[in-house]
Amino acid sequence: CTEVRFNSPLRLKHVPSGKFLAVDSSKSVGSTEKQFDVQDNRNEGSAEVGNGGVEEANRGVLYDVALLFDSDSSKDEGKLGSISSMLFYLMPIDLTSETLQHGAAAVRLEHRTADGQTLYFYAPHVLKPGINHTERPAPPWGSSKERGFKMCFSSEFSSLDVLRVQPLSDKDSEQLSYFISKIPLFKLYAYRWHTSALSGETVPVDLTECVVSQCMDLLHVLRKSPPPARHGGSVSENMRDAQVNGPLQFSVFHAGAAHTLLQKMCLELKLLDAVFDATVAPYNYNNLVGKGKVFQGLSHAENFKSVQMFLYVVVQCLVRDNLAIQKYVTDKYSRVWILEKPKVTPATIEDISDSDGEETEPKAKLIKKYVLCKDLIIEHGTDSLGATVTLGQLLKSSEAIIQRLVDNDLMLRFKHLVSSIGPELRFINLFNAICFIEGRPSRPSQEM
């Protein structure tokens, strides 16, 4: 690969998005003290200082960063998107070589402006309200996302802002490229459901086989000891498997211990998010077109049901026996689209009348909301396509997850499902997962 030299201009690429880091040095965004609610990570009297300590709260002025696909030669020097805004320099902490060696190295990241000023990488541990924070309130149990590292650049240097560059093996690089290559198809599948709702066109049925084929590939790679491919790897036969077997049995076909490191890689690359968003997409479609049961009245509905079951078993594989990722899923919000019809009152009748004075149907408004993924999984449980099995996968692993997910509302919703659908094994397993005695599941308690 190309040699990386210290104190030489380079660009930094964000692997999941394919975008490049850029800093806007043309305007500051204020000081740390004014801009951020900075958390002190130091214990009183301790010599240890973490990012976000009080020492950092008055560090010069800050400059914002963004991820961009490429530079724009028409932008003025220093402006976000200009060629110079995307150039950075790696500087060694201990200079033993002029180049970045194959082993791990501690470095500083700098950006240099046209007037000769040097800006330094700065990542305070701050309160992160996030986008549309009012639409995404924190979960009742609190969220690990309430605080995080805000990346920016500062006019003042601190010895705390050190990055550690880790070597990446050829195998790791191949795995990264493999997982990144899987994301666009899941995003396309979700996108086609959304555009179909708005345009009236149907989602191409050929897309279903592509998505199932990709799910089969992922299930083979993610498991430590995958069994031989069912039906010789035939996509059509595996889709038939999904159609003739219930979600619990179908999940058993694709069970098995997953690679923890690969699960983490899929989480960090946002592949898990892309898969889950694809599972939500048909329900968003239903909300937008005002249909009842998912896939109802669609041609080739069985194909779409097969995709849904495969998507859920991939989610199950990505969260299996991994408490950190399970907590991420319980904290995660997903965007849903809803058509909201305005209420008609005598005061509004005049506003919704046509030119002849006759009443017309009030126009529905398309709104988006952010809903906890666990609530969406529970909501999808009525359709017997894998949502309930996925919830059981989350619940059976840890009492900490049970405390996050189980409340009276959940119990009442599943009591209603059992009453309306019957005591299917997937519901029995779910209640079994909830019944814990001294940290261990108790089937007798559930059977009572």
Side-chain angles (χ1 to χ4, degrees):
C1 64
T2 303
E3 186 177 63
V4 178
R5 299 185 65 84
F6 292 127
N7 201 24
S8 296
L10 54 82
R11 298 206 297 176
L12 298 174
K13 187 174 184 179
H14 181 243
V15 174
S17 67
K19 297 180 181 180
F20 294 90
L21 183 67
V23 59
D24 187 356
S25 60
S26 65
K27 59 180 180 181
S28 68
V29 291
S31 67
T32 312
E33 184 178 27
K34 294 178 181 178
Q35 186 72 9
F36 303 128
D37 172 18
V38 182
Q39 179 183 8
D40 184 4
N41 290 338
R42 297 180 296 181
N43 296 322
E44 188 174 356
S46 170
E48 294 184 6
V49 182
N51 268 346
V54 171
E55 178 182 310
E56 299 176 89
N58 297 290
R59 285 191 43 207
V61 293
L62 303 180
Y63 299 87
D64 226 340
V65 299
L67 291 173
L68 305 175
F69 280 113
D70 209 344
S71 59
D72 184 350
S73 57
S74 67
K75 295 282 187 179
D76 293 336
E77 190 82 13
K79 290 278 189 180
L80 192 66
S82 64
I83 295 174
S84 62
S85 73
M86 303 175 76
L87 297 180
F88 299 90
Y89 297 80
L90 284 182
M91 301 299 294
I93 299 302
D94 297 312
L95 185 59
T96 57
S97 171
E98 293 183 353
T99 61
L100 187 61
Q101 302 299 300
H102 290 292
V107 299
R108 298 196 316 270
L109 182 62
E110 298 180 356
H111 174 77
R112 297 168 189 173
T113 64
D115 60 4
Q117 184 183 19
T118 298
L119 304 180
Y120 304 94
F121 168 81
Y122 178 48
H125 197 223
V126 299
L127 188 65
K128 291 201 310 181
I131 301 172
N132 298 313
H133 183 60
T134 55
E135 295 177 286
R136 278 188 287 189
W141 53 81
S143 171
S144 58
K145 296 181 183 179
E146 288 179 357
R147 285 189 176 273
F149 289 100
K150 161 75 176 180
M151 185 174 177
C152 52
F153 278 78
S154 171
S155 60
E156 293 188 19
F157 168 74
S158 168
S159 59
L160 302 178
D161 297 323
V162 176
L163 297 174
R164 187 167 181 81
V165 180
Q166 296 286 132
L168 191 65
S169 68
D170 290 340
K171 182 180 179 180
D172 289 339
S173 180
E174 289 175 5
Q175 288 174 335
L176 281 170
S177 299
Y178 171 80
F179 288 127
I180 290 171
S181 71
K182 300 299 180 185
I183 295 174
L185 184 60
F186 291 121
K187 288 189 173 183
L188 174 63
Y189 183 73
Y191 174 75
R192 290 307 297 262
W193 276 108
H194 183 67
T195 56
S196 294
L198 300 179
S199 68
E201 299 176 358
T202 57
V203 177
V205 69
D206 293 346
L207 191 57
T208 61
E209 292 192 2
C210 296
V211 175
V212 167
S213 176
Q214 185 158 286
C215 288
M216 291 168 58
D217 286 346
L218 282 172
L219 289 167
H220 181 80
V221 171
L222 288 169
R223 290 180 292 176
K224 290 181 179 178
S225 302
R230 290 180 61 80
H231 308 296
S234 168
V235 174
S236 58
E237 289 300 316
N238 275 274
M239 291 178 74
R240 183 177 294 277
D241 255 359
Q243 295 165 12
V244 300
N245 291 283
L248 186 59
Q249 181 58 45
F250 188 69
S251 176
V252 172
F253 291 156
H254 301 282
H259 288 279
T260 304
L261 291 178
L262 297 186
Q263 288 175 317
K264 183 180 179 183
M265 191 177 291
C266 291
L267 173 68
E268 293 177 345
L269 293 173
K270 300 296 183 181
L271 177 56
L272 171 58
D273 294 59
V275 174
F276 190 84
D277 288 344
T279 68
V280 175
Y283 293 90
N284 280 338
Y285 170 88
N286 265 35
N287 290 339
L288 295 177
V289 300
K291 286 192 175 182
K293 201 170 179 64
V294 70
F295 308 125
Q296 185 177 17
L298 289 180
S299 59
H300 305 287
E302 294 303 314
N303 291 56
F304 292 113
K305 290 180 180 179
S306 298
V307 173
Q308 199 71 8
M309 292 179 72
F310 264 102
L311 289 170
Y312 266 122
V313 293
V314 172
V315 172
Q316 292 160 25
C317 189
L318 288 171
V319 304
R320 186 174 295 131
D321 301 322
N322 193 316
L323 184 59
I325 295 180
Q326 290 164 356
K327 287 182 177 180
Y328 171 83
V329 172
T330 57
D331 280 354
K332 174 179 165 56
Y333 280 81
S334 186
R335 183 179 64 186
V336 297
W337 292 94
I338 298 173
L339 277 180
E340 186 179 73
K341 291 186 176 181
K343 294 181 179 179
V344 180
T345 64
T348 61
I349 289 178
E350 184 177 345
D351 296 333
I352 61 173
S353 297
D354 60 20
S355 57
D356 296 328
E358 295 185 8
E359 294 180 17
T360 59
E361 185 72 18
K363 290 184 178 181
K365 183 171 63 172
L366 180 63
I367 61 172
K368 65 178 178 181
K369 289 187 176 181
Y370 289 91
V371 180
L372 279 168
C373 290
K374 65 102 174 177
D375 290 334
L376 292 174
I377 294 173
I378 295 168
E379 183 181 324
H380 301 171
T382 58
D383 297 309
S384 190
L385 294 172
T388 309
V389 179
T390 303
L391 186 63
Q393 185 85 247
L394 291 170
L395 289 171
K396 73 179 183 180
S397 57
S398 164
E399 285 188 271
I401 298 294
I402 288 180
Q403 291 171 359
R404 287 169 177 248
L405 296 184
V406 179
D407 54 22
N408 288 336
D409 180 59
L410 175 68
M411 300 301 293
L412 290 173
R413 291 172 79 167
F414 275 97
K415 177 183 176 182
H416 173 72
L417 284 177
V418 172
S419 300
S420 58
I421 298 175
E424 296 182 1
L425 185 58
R426 59 194 175 108
F427 297 137
I428 301 298
N429 286 345
L430 180 74
F431 284 116
N432 178 55
I434 295 172
C435 294
F436 270 70
I437 296 178
E438 295 183 354
R440 304 187 65 177
S442 170
R443 184 174 288 277
S445 297
Q446 179 268 319
E447 289 174 347
M448 291 173 61

PDB file of all heavy atoms in Angstrom, residues 214-235:
ATOM      1  N   GLN A 214     -28.349 -12.527  -0.269  1.00  0.00           N
ATOM      2  CA  GLN A 214     -27.387 -11.796   0.563  1.00  0.00           C
ATOM      3  C   GLN A 214     -27.515 -12.195   2.024  1.00  0.00           C
ATOM      4  O   GLN A 214     -26.506 -12.327   2.723  1.00  0.00           O
ATOM      5  CB  GLN A 214     -27.614 -10.296   0.395  1.00  0.00           C
ATOM      6  CG  GLN A 214     -26.598  -9.436   1.119  1.00  0.00           C
ATOM      7  CD  GLN A 214     -26.490  -8.045   0.540  1.00  0.00           C
ATOM      8  OE1 GLN A 214     -25.923  -7.852  -0.527  1.00  0.00           O
ATOM      9  NE2 GLN A 214     -27.048  -7.080   1.229  1.00  0.00           N
ATOM     10  N   CYS A 215     -28.730 -12.402   2.487  1.00  0.00           N
ATOM     11  CA  CYS A 215     -28.943 -12.858   3.869  1.00  0.00           C
ATOM     12  C   CYS A 215     -28.305 -14.223   4.083  1.00  0.00           C
ATOM     13  O   CYS A 215     -27.677 -14.476   5.125  1.00  0.00           O
ATOM     14  CB  CYS A 215     -30.433 -12.926   4.177  1.00  0.00           C
ATOM     15  SG  CYS A 215     -31.258 -11.324   4.347  1.00  0.00           S
ATOM     16  N   MET A 216     -28.453 -15.118   3.115  1.00  0.00           N
ATOM     17  CA  MET A 216     -27.850 -16.447   3.218  1.00  0.00           C
ATOM     18  C   MET A 216     -26.330 -16.348   3.305  1.00  0.00           C
ATOM     19  O   MET A 216     -25.694 -17.059   4.091  1.00  0.00           O
ATOM     20  CB  MET A 216     -28.274 -17.299   2.018  1.00  0.00           C
ATOM     21  CG  MET A 216     -29.754 -17.688   2.024  1.00  0.00           C
ATOM     22  SD  MET A 216     -30.321 -18.399   0.444  1.00  0.00           S
ATOM     23  CE  MET A 216     -29.219 -19.806   0.273  1.00  0.00           C
ATOM     24  N   ASP A 217     -25.745 -15.466   2.526  1.00  0.00           N
ATOM     25  CA  ASP A 217     -24.293 -15.258   2.574  1.00  0.00           C
ATOM     26  C   ASP A 217     -23.855 -14.789   3.956  1.00  0.00           C
ATOM     27  O   ASP A 217     -22.882 -15.288   4.530  1.00  0.00           O
ATOM     28  CB  ASP A 217     -23.863 -14.224   1.532  1.00  0.00           C
ATOM     29  CG  ASP A 217     -23.901 -14.767   0.115  1.00  0.00           C
ATOM     30  OD1 ASP A 217     -23.991 -15.996  -0.042  1.00  0.00           O
ATOM     31  OD2 ASP A 217     -23.859 -13.956  -0.836  1.00  0.00           O
ATOM     32  N   LEU A 218     -24.579 -13.810   4.494  1.00  0.00           N
ATOM     33  CA  LEU A 218     -24.219 -13.265   5.804  1.00  0.00           C
ATOM     34  C   LEU A 218     -24.351 -14.319   6.897  1.00  0.00           C
ATOM     35  O   LEU A 218     -23.498 -14.422   7.783  1.00  0.00           O
ATOM     36  CB  LEU A 218     -25.114 -12.060   6.129  1.00  0.00           C
ATOM     37  CG  LEU A 218     -24.758 -10.748   5.438  1.00  0.00           C
ATOM     38  CD1 LEU A 218     -25.840  -9.704   5.685  1.00  0.00           C
ATOM     39  CD2 LEU A 218     -23.411 -10.226   5.918  1.00  0.00           C
ATOM     40  N   LEU A 219     -25.416 -15.103   6.852  1.00  0.00           N
ATOM     41  CA  LEU A 219     -25.623 -16.127   7.877  1.00  0.00           C
ATOM     42  C   LEU A 219     -24.509 -17.169   7.836  1.00  0.00           C
ATOM     43  O   LEU A 219     -24.117 -17.716   8.870  1.00  0.00           O
ATOM     44  CB  LEU A 219     -26.985 -16.803   7.674  1.00  0.00           C
ATOM     45  CG  LEU A 219     -28.200 -15.926   8.012  1.00  0.00           C
ATOM     46  CD1 LEU A 219     -29.471 -16.564   7.489  1.00  0.00           C
ATOM     47  CD2 LEU A 219     -28.296 -15.697   9.514  1.00  0.00           C
ATOM     48  N   HIS A 220     -23.988 -17.434   6.680  1.00  0.00           N
ATOM     49  CA  HIS A 220     -22.882 -18.396   6.558  1.00  0.00           C
ATOM     50  C   HIS A 220     -21.588 -17.803   7.123  1.00  0.00           C
ATOM     51  O   HIS A 220     -20.845 -18.491   7.835  1.00  0.00           O
ATOM     52  CB  HIS A 220     -22.680 -18.781   5.091  1.00  0.00           C
ATOM     53  CG  HIS A 220     -21.577 -19.778   4.881  1.00  0.00           C
ATOM     54  ND1 HIS A 220     -21.749 -21.128   5.107  1.00  0.00           N
ATOM     55  CD2 HIS A 220     -20.274 -19.615   4.489  1.00  0.00           C
ATOM     56  CE1 HIS A 220     -20.613 -21.755   4.863  1.00  0.00           C
ATOM     57  NE2 HIS A 220     -19.708 -20.871   4.486  1.00  0.00           N
ATOM     58  N   VAL A 221     -21.326 -16.540   6.845  1.00  0.00           N
ATOM     59  CA  VAL A 221     -20.071 -15.908   7.267  1.00  0.00           C
ATOM     60  C   VAL A 221     -20.077 -15.608   8.759  1.00  0.00           C
ATOM     61  O   VAL A 221     -19.044 -15.765   9.439  1.00  0.00           O
ATOM     62  CB  VAL A 221     -19.838 -14.609   6.464  1.00  0.00           C
ATOM     63  CG1 VAL A 221     -18.674 -13.811   7.032  1.00  0.00           C
ATOM     64  CG2 VAL A 221     -19.588 -14.932   4.996  1.00  0.00           C
ATOM     65  N   LEU A 222     -21.206 -15.192   9.307  1.00  0.00           N
ATOM     66  CA  LEU A 222     -21.258 -14.724  10.687  1.00  0.00           C
ATOM     67  C   LEU A 222     -21.170 -15.852  11.715  1.00  0.00           C
ATOM     68  O   LEU A 222     -20.767 -15.629  12.848  1.00  0.00           O
ATOM     69  CB  LEU A 222     -22.549 -13.926  10.922  1.00  0.00           C
ATOM     70  CG  LEU A 222     -22.608 -12.538  10.278  1.00  0.00           C
ATOM     71  CD1 LEU A 222     -24.021 -11.977  10.348  1.00  0.00           C
ATOM     72  CD2 LEU A 222     -21.629 -11.589  10.962  1.00  0.00           C
ATOM     73  N   ARG A 223     -21.551 -17.066  11.320  1.00  0.00           N
ATOM     74  CA  ARG A 223     -21.548 -18.174  12.284  1.00  0.00           C
ATOM     75  C   ARG A 223     -20.191 -18.876  12.320  1.00  0.00           C
ATOM     76  O   ARG A 223     -19.524 -19.019  11.304  1.00  0.00           O
ATOM     77  CB  ARG A 223     -22.659 -19.173  11.944  1.00  0.00           C
ATOM     78  CG  ARG A 223     -24.058 -18.614  12.208  1.00  0.00           C
ATOM     79  CD  ARG A 223     -25.137 -19.610  11.861  1.00  0.00           C
ATOM     80  NE  ARG A 223     -25.213 -19.854  10.415  1.00  0.00           N
ATOM     81  CZ  ARG A 223     -26.033 -20.749   9.867  1.00  0.00           C
ATOM     82  NH1 ARG A 223     -26.825 -21.479  10.636  1.00  0.00           N
ATOM     83  NH2 ARG A 223     -26.053 -20.911   8.558  1.00  0.00           N
ATOM     84  N   LYS A 224     -19.823 -19.332  13.507  1.00  0.00           N
ATOM     85  CA  LYS A 224     -18.513 -19.957  13.682  1.00  0.00           C
ATOM     86  C   LYS A 224     -18.416 -21.298  12.960  1.00  0.00           C
ATOM     87  O   LYS A 224     -17.401 -21.617  12.354  1.00  0.00           O
ATOM     88  CB  LYS A 224     -18.222 -20.147  15.175  1.00  0.00           C
ATOM     89  CG  LYS A 224     -17.974 -18.857  15.934  1.00  0.00           C
ATOM     90  CD  LYS A 224     -17.670 -19.122  17.394  1.00  0.00           C
ATOM     91  CE  LYS A 224     -17.397 -17.838  18.148  1.00  0.00           C
ATOM     92  NZ  LYS A 224     -17.138 -18.078  19.591  1.00  0.00           N
ATOM     93  N   SER A 225     -19.455 -22.099  13.076  1.00  0.00           N
ATOM     94  CA  SER A 225     -19.450 -23.428  12.446  1.00  0.00           C
ATOM     95  C   SER A 225     -20.749 -23.624  11.674  1.00  0.00           C
ATOM     96  O   SER A 225     -21.629 -24.378  12.096  1.00  0.00           O
ATOM     97  CB  SER A 225     -19.295 -24.525  13.508  1.00  0.00           C
ATOM     98  OG  SER A 225     -18.102 -24.349  14.248  1.00  0.00           O
ATOM     99  N   PRO A 226     -20.894 -22.930  10.560  1.00  0.00           N
ATOM    100  CA  PRO A 226     -22.149 -23.046   9.811  1.00  0.00           C
ATOM    101  C   PRO A 226     -22.314 -24.436   9.218  1.00  0.00           C
ATOM    102  O   PRO A 226     -21.340 -25.033   8.728  1.00  0.00           O
ATOM    103  CB  PRO A 226     -21.988 -21.991   8.703  1.00  0.00           C
ATOM    104  CG  PRO A 226     -20.514 -21.861   8.519  1.00  0.00           C
ATOM    105  CD  PRO A 226     -19.920 -22.066   9.878  1.00  0.00           C
ATOM    106  N   PRO A 227     -23.524 -24.988   9.281  1.00  0.00           N
ATOM    107  CA  PRO A 227     -23.766 -26.284   8.651  1.00  0.00           C
ATOM    108  C   PRO A 227     -23.749 -26.133   7.133  1.00  0.00           C
ATOM    109  O   PRO A 227     -23.734 -25.012   6.614  1.00  0.00           O
ATOM    110  CB  PRO A 227     -25.174 -26.646   9.154  1.00  0.00           C
ATOM    111  CG  PRO A 227     -25.822 -25.325   9.413  1.00  0.00           C
ATOM    112  CD  PRO A 227     -24.728 -24.416   9.883  1.00  0.00           C
ATOM    113  N   PRO A 228     -23.723 -27.262   6.417  1.00  0.00           N
ATOM    114  CA  PRO A 228     -23.790 -27.171   4.950  1.00  0.00           C
ATOM    115  C   PRO A 228     -25.033 -26.404   4.516  1.00  0.00           C
ATOM    116  O   PRO A 228     -26.078 -26.448   5.176  1.00  0.00           O
ATOM    117  CB  PRO A 228     -23.862 -28.639   4.515  1.00  0.00           C
ATOM    118  CG  PRO A 228     -23.245 -29.398   5.649  1.00  0.00           C
ATOM    119  CD  PRO A 228     -23.596 -28.641   6.887  1.00  0.00           C
ATOM    120  N   ALA A 229     -24.913 -25.663   3.445  1.00  0.00           N
ATOM    121  CA  ALA A 229     -26.032 -24.833   2.961  1.00  0.00           C
ATOM    122  C   ALA A 229     -27.259 -25.705   2.699  1.00  0.00           C
ATOM    123  O   ALA A 229     -27.161 -26.777   2.093  1.00  0.00           O
ATOM    124  CB  ALA A 229     -25.620 -24.111   1.684  1.00  0.00           C
ATOM    125  N   ARG A 230     -28.386 -25.260   3.166  1.00  0.00           N
ATOM    126  CA  ARG A 230     -29.634 -26.002   2.958  1.00  0.00           C
ATOM    127  C   ARG A 230     -29.994 -25.981   1.478  1.00  0.00           C
ATOM    128  O   ARG A 230     -29.844 -24.967   0.800  1.00  0.00           O
ATOM    129  CB  ARG A 230     -30.763 -25.390   3.789  1.00  0.00           C
ATOM    130  CG  ARG A 230     -30.587 -25.617   5.294  1.00  0.00           C
ATOM    131  CD  ARG A 230     -31.719 -24.987   6.086  1.00  0.00           C
ATOM    132  NE  ARG A 230     -33.019 -25.553   5.746  1.00  0.00           N
ATOM    133  CZ  ARG A 230     -33.482 -26.708   6.225  1.00  0.00           C
ATOM    134  NH1 ARG A 230     -32.732 -27.430   7.048  1.00  0.00           N
ATOM    135  NH2 ARG A 230     -34.678 -27.133   5.880  1.00  0.00           N
ATOM    136  N   HIS A 231     -30.479 -27.103   1.007  1.00  0.00           N
ATOM    137  CA  HIS A 231     -30.923 -27.242  -0.386  1.00  0.00           C
ATOM    138  C   HIS A 231     -29.826 -26.856  -1.379  1.00  0.00           C
ATOM    139  O   HIS A 231     -30.104 -26.288  -2.439  1.00  0.00           O
ATOM    140  CB  HIS A 231     -32.173 -26.391  -0.633  1.00  0.00           C
ATOM    141  CG  HIS A 231     -33.278 -26.631   0.347  1.00  0.00           C
ATOM    142  ND1 HIS A 231     -33.935 -27.840   0.452  1.00  0.00           N
ATOM    143  CD2 HIS A 231     -33.829 -25.816   1.286  1.00  0.00           C
ATOM    144  CE1 HIS A 231     -34.855 -27.757   1.412  1.00  0.00           C
ATOM    145  NE2 HIS A 231     -34.811 -26.542   1.932  1.00  0.00           N
ATOM    146  N   GLY A 232     -28.585 -27.146  -0.981  1.00  0.00           N
ATOM    147  CA  GLY A 232     -27.481 -26.851  -1.879  1.00  0.00           C
ATOM    148  C   GLY A 232     -27.289 -25.384  -2.170  1.00  0.00           C
ATOM    149  O   GLY A 232     -26.658 -25.009  -3.168  1.00  0.00           O
ATOM    150  N   GLY A 233     -27.815 -24.520  -1.284  1.00  0.00           N
ATOM    151  CA  GLY A 233     -27.677 -23.075  -1.472  1.00  0.00           C
ATOM    152  C   GLY A 233     -28.691 -22.481  -2.434  1.00  0.00           C
ATOM    153  O   GLY A 233     -28.560 -21.304  -2.818  1.00  0.00           O
ATOM    154  N   SER A 234     -29.703 -23.255  -2.828  1.00  0.00           N
ATOM    155  CA  SER A 234     -30.737 -22.750  -3.744  1.00  0.00           C
ATOM    156  C   SER A 234     -31.554 -21.652  -3.073  1.00  0.00           C
ATOM    157  O   SER A 234     -32.153 -21.879  -2.007  1.00  0.00           O
ATOM    158  CB  SER A 234     -31.656 -23.889  -4.180  1.00  0.00           C
ATOM    159  OG  SER A 234     -32.808 -23.384  -4.834  1.00  0.00           O
ATOM    160  N   VAL A 235     -31.572 -20.472  -3.671  1.00  0.00           N
ATOM    161  CA  VAL A 235     -32.316 -19.350  -3.094  1.00  0.00           C
ATOM    162  C   VAL A 235     -33.811 -19.637  -3.094  1.00  0.00           C
ATOM    163  O   VAL A 235     -34.508 -19.414  -2.098  1.00  0.00           O
ATOM    164  CB  VAL A 235     -32.014 -18.045  -3.870  1.00  0.00           C
ATOM    165  CG1 VAL A 235     -32.902 -16.909  -3.367  1.00  0.00           C
ATOM    166  CG2 VAL A 235     -30.545 -17.670  -3.721  1.00  0.00           C
TER     167      VAL A 235
END
